[in-house]
C-alpha cells in the first residue's frame, strides 16, 4: 500500500472478512456480502512515537509515515477472527498529501477472545519468568494476557524476519502492546485484497500462484519455521502476487515437537485447494523437501 492523495472512497461499504469462517467464503458474492457499519473515528496522534512501541525492520519503506505530526483515523472493521479484529486505519499528516492506509490487528481483551489452538503452537516457546510460564499453563487471567502478548509479539517478529528474508508478507509497521500495525494489502480506496479462496484463477494463474507459494515455503523452511495454520483463507492475492498473512502461530519446526506435522499440514491444505481447482499437486515430495531444508531427518 502506498501514499494516495485521496482516501475518500475508503469509507464506502466494506465486506465482512472473517478468517475463521470458511463457510462464508463459499456463500459470498459481490451482491450478497453482508456489510459493516462504517465507523470513522479520529483516534488522535499517530502512535508511531508512543512509549514502548516497536518499529518494523530497516530500511523502513518510504511509504511508512513517521512524522510526529501524523494522526490516525479508524475507518472501520476489515475482518474479524476468534483472537483478533483487523481495522482499516488511515495515517496522515494534516495539511499535507502524506496519507497511507494501514491494517491494525487488535488482539481482543482476555474475557472476549478464544485462543482455541494455542496449546500446540506454544510448545517450544519460553518466557524468562517461571511464574509467567506457570500462569500461561494454568490459563489464569494474567496467563491469558501473557499469551495474548506472545501472539502479538510472535507475529510481529515473524513478519519482520520473513520480510527481511524476502517472503511476501505485509510489512510490520509497528507493535504497541497487543496492537499490530501492518501494511494494508489492497487498493487505494480501502478495498482489501481477496483471499486465495475467493479467487477464480485460470490455469496459467494457478500455476504461477502455486510456484509463488512453493518459493515462500522454501524460504520459511530454510529459516526453520512453518506457518502452522496455512490455508487458502490466510493467503491474499493482490495484483497477481500471493501474500501470506496471519502468522501469530508460527512454529519452530525443530524445537516444537509437532513442528513437522504443522509443516506437513500447511502443504497438504494448500495442495488440496490447488488440486481441486484443476492444478494437480502431490504434496508428499514437497513436504520431504521442506523438512530436509529445515534440517530434519526424513
Amino acid at each position: 500500500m502506498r501514499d494516495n492523495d485521496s482516501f475518500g472512497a475508503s469509507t464506502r461499504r466494506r465486506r465482512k472478512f472473517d478468517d475463521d469462517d470458511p463457510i462464508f467464503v463459499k456463500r459470498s458474492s459481490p451482491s450478497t456480502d453482508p456489510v459493516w457499519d462504517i465507523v470513522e473515528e479520529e483516534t488522535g496522534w499517530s502512535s508511531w512515537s508512543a512509549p514502548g512501541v516497536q518499529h518494523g525492520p530497516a530500511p523502513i519503506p518510504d511509504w511508512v509515515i513517521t512524522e510526529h505530526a501524523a494522526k490516525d483515523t479508524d475507518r472501520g472493521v476489515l475482518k474479524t477472527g476468534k483472537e483478533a479484529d483487523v481495522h482499516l486505519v488511515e495515517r496522515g499528516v494534516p495539511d499535507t498529501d502524506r496519507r497511507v492506509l494501514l491494517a491494525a490487528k487488535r488482539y481482543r481483551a482476555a474475557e472476549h477472545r478464544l485462543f482455541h489452538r494455542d496449546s500446540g503452537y506454544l510448545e517450544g516457546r519460553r518466557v524468562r519468568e517461571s511464574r509467567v510460564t506457570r500462569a500461561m499453563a494454568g490459563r489464569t487471567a494474567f496467563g491469558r494476557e501473557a499469551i495474548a502478548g506472545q501472539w502479538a509479539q510472535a507475529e510481529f517478529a515473524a513478519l519482520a524476519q520473513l520480510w527481511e528474508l524476502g517472503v511476501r508478507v505485509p510489512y510490520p509497521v509497528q507493535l504497541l502492546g497487543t496492537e499490530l500495525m501492518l501494511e494494508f494489502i489492497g487498493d487505494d480506496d480501502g478495498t482489501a485484497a481477496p483471499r486465495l479462496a475467493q479467487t477464480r484463477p485460470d490455469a496459467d494463474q494457478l500455476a504461477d500462484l502455486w510456484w509463488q507459494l512453493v518459493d515462500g515455503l522454501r524460504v520459511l523452511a530454510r529459516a526453520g519455521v512453518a506457518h502452522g495454520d496455512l490455508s487458502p483463507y490466510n493467503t491474499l492475492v493482490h495484483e497477481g502476487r500471493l501474500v501470506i498473512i496471519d502468522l501469530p502461530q508460527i512454529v519452530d519446526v525443530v524445537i516444537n515437537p509437532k513442528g513437522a506435522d504443522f509443516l506437513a499440514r500447511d502443504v497438504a491444505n494448500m495442495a488440496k485447494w490447488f488440486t481441486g481447482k484443476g492444478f494437480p499437486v502431490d504434496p508428499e515430495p514437497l513436504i520431504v523437501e521442506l523438512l530436509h531444508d529445515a534440517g530434519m531427518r526424513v
Side-chain angles (χ1 to χ4, degrees):
M1 181 65 204
R2 298 296 182 266
D3 296 351
N4 190 42
D5 291 339
S6 173
F7 287 105
S10 66
T11 58
R12 296 173 183 168
R13 292 180 177 181
R14 194 165 294 112
R15 296 174 295 178
K16 184 177 178 180
F17 201 68
D18 191 328
D19 59 345
D20 292 308
D21 185 10
I23 297 176
F24 170 80
V25 176
K26 296 177 183 178
R27 68 171 182 263
S28 63
S29 68
S31 60
T32 61
D33 285 345
V35 176
W36 287 103
D37 291 331
I38 300 302
V39 178
E40 195 170 326
E41 177 185 358
E42 186 173 291
T43 56
W45 300 110
S46 162
S47 55
W48 175 262
S49 301
V53 69
Q54 300 179 55
H55 296 143
I60 296 172
D62 292 340
W63 55 265
V64 176
I65 292 178
T66 63
E67 288 90 328
H68 293 288
K71 290 189 174 183
D72 290 347
T73 302
D74 194 319
R75 297 297 189 189
V77 178
L78 281 173
K79 73 173 184 178
T80 63
K82 291 182 175 65
E83 289 91 20
D85 296 329
V86 181
H87 288 240
L88 182 68
V89 172
E90 178 185 336
R91 177 168 290 176
V93 181
D95 303 320
T96 75
D97 61 358
R98 288 276 285 159
R99 297 286 188 276
V100 70
L101 291 179
L102 302 172
K105 187 169 187 177
R106 298 167 182 167
Y107 284 91
R108 295 180 179 182
E111 64 271 20
H112 297 302
R113 65 174 171 262
L114 175 61
F115 288 95
H116 58 300
R117 301 179 300 261
D118 62 271
S119 59
Y121 294 109
L122 291 175
E123 289 189 59
R125 294 188 190 175
R126 296 290 183 266
V127 294
R128 292 183 178 180
E129 298 183 49
S130 59
R131 71 182 185 91
V132 177
T133 302
R134 291 194 299 271
M136 289 168 56
R139 299 303 189 269
T140 66
F142 173 72
R144 291 195 300 272
E145 290 294 337
I147 290 173
Q150 272 214 356
W151 284 115
Q153 182 64 56
E155 182 161 28
F156 179 75
L159 288 168
Q161 177 189 20
L162 297 181
W163 172 271
E164 291 181 308
L165 291 173
V167 180
R168 288 171 179 168
V169 295
Y171 177 77
V173 175
Q174 66 180 62
L175 175 66
L176 182 60
T178 55
E179 181 183 76
L180 179 59
M181 287 279 200
L182 304 169
E183 175 185 6
F184 171 67
I185 307 297
D187 299 331
D188 289 341
D189 66 355
T191 302
R195 289 177 286 183
L196 177 63
Q198 295 173 302
T199 64
R200 298 294 181 268
D202 60 28
D204 290 340
Q205 291 169 331
L206 272 172
D208 182 55
L209 290 170
W210 170 255
W211 291 114
Q212 287 186 47
L213 172 68
V214 170
D215 287 343
L217 291 175
R218 284 170 174 160
V219 177
L220 265 70
R222 290 165 189 161
V225 298
H227 183 285
D229 195 29
L230 192 60
S231 79
Y233 304 106
N234 49 32
T235 46
L236 305 179
V237 180
H238 186 238
E239 298 178 346
R241 300 178 66 212
L242 189 74
V243 182
I244 298 174
I245 62 170
D246 291 336
L247 287 138
Q249 70 292 310
I250 192 167
V251 173
D252 187 304
V253 176
V254 178
I255 294 177
N256 190 304
K258 299 178 183 177
D261 294 335
F262 283 124
L263 184 151
R265 189 179 67 180
D266 284 351
V267 176
N269 285 343
M270 299 302 286
K272 181 179 179 180
W273 186 86
F274 277 91
T275 298
K277 295 301 177 183
F279 186 76
V281 175
D282 180 2
E284 293 304 321
L286 180 57
I287 291 171
V288 171
E289 175 192 337
L290 296 178
L291 289 175
H292 180 270
D293 287 348
M296 300 190 69
R297 294 180 179 179
V298 292

